[in-house]
Amino acid sequence: MPSNNTLPDIQTEADIKVLVDSFYDRVNADPLLGPVFNEVAQVNWAAHLPRMYDFWSGLLLHTNRYQGQPFAKHIPLPIGSGHFQQWLHLFCRTVDSLFAGPVANEARLRAGSIAHVFESRMRIVNTPLSTR
């Protein structure tokens, strides 16, 4: 693997596609996350991946194609802290293996924020009203 100083930064839609496809290849192979995506959520990858291209393109390249509320789809899933930690670990490993630079750094920061917010919100959603 090349050292980080020889890796390109995330700059184009093609870079976003490589990042997303590589990341979800790791997710699908992961023993913790793969079953959640494929058996529980039964993700339609042909529809999901283009939405993720739009999502990450919006965050990192400032396009405005993504429309949606990503958190809502996570509410019914049996996921917790360990799932979000693993998601973030895989995402950061994917970024680090492919890209280096300010936008790659931004990608890791954004992913960290997403994981933290989703994990916190899931904890609230899964807490019985009587104990809130």
Side-chain angles (χ1 to χ4, degrees):
M1 180 165 83
S3 66
N4 278 352
N5 61 359
T6 63
L7 293 174
D9 202 357
I10 300 167
Q11 299 177 355
T12 68
E13 294 293 334
D15 295 337
I16 296 291
K17 187 174 186 312
V18 167
L19 172 61
V20 170
D21 289 346
S22 298
F23 169 64
Y24 282 107
D25 285 347
R26 289 178 190 230
V27 165
N28 277 304
D30 187 79
L32 179 64
L33 298 180
V36 173
F37 279 81
N38 294 306
E39 296 165 24
V40 178
Q42 298 180 343
V43 171
N44 173 348
W45 291 105
H48 185 68
L49 290 173
R51 289 183 61 74
M52 293 300 92
Y53 304 149
D54 289 347
F55 179 79
W56 285 104
S57 178
L59 290 179
L60 302 176
L61 302 179
H62 310 292
T63 59
N64 291 313
R65 294 188 313 266
Y66 180 79
Q67 299 290 319
Q69 298 177 335
F71 178 72
K73 299 214 180 243
H74 294 79
I75 292 172
L77 300 176
I79 53 178
S81 179
H83 294 90
F84 291 106
Q85 305 266 330
Q86 183 65 358
W87 180 90
L88 181 59
H89 171 73
L90 293 179
F91 188 87
C92 290
R93 271 188 48 205
T94 304
V95 171
D96 291 344
S97 71
L98 298 168
F99 302 102
V103 182
N105 294 340
E106 180 71 15
R108 285 190 302 279
L109 288 171
R110 293 287 188 130
S113 294
I114 291 165
H116 175 74
V117 168
F118 276 34
E119 180 183 346
S120 297
R121 291 179 72 189
M122 286 296 288
R123 198 174 309 119
I124 292 168
V125 166
N126 291 322
T127 302
L129 288 175
S130 61
T131 60
R132 285 190 202 170

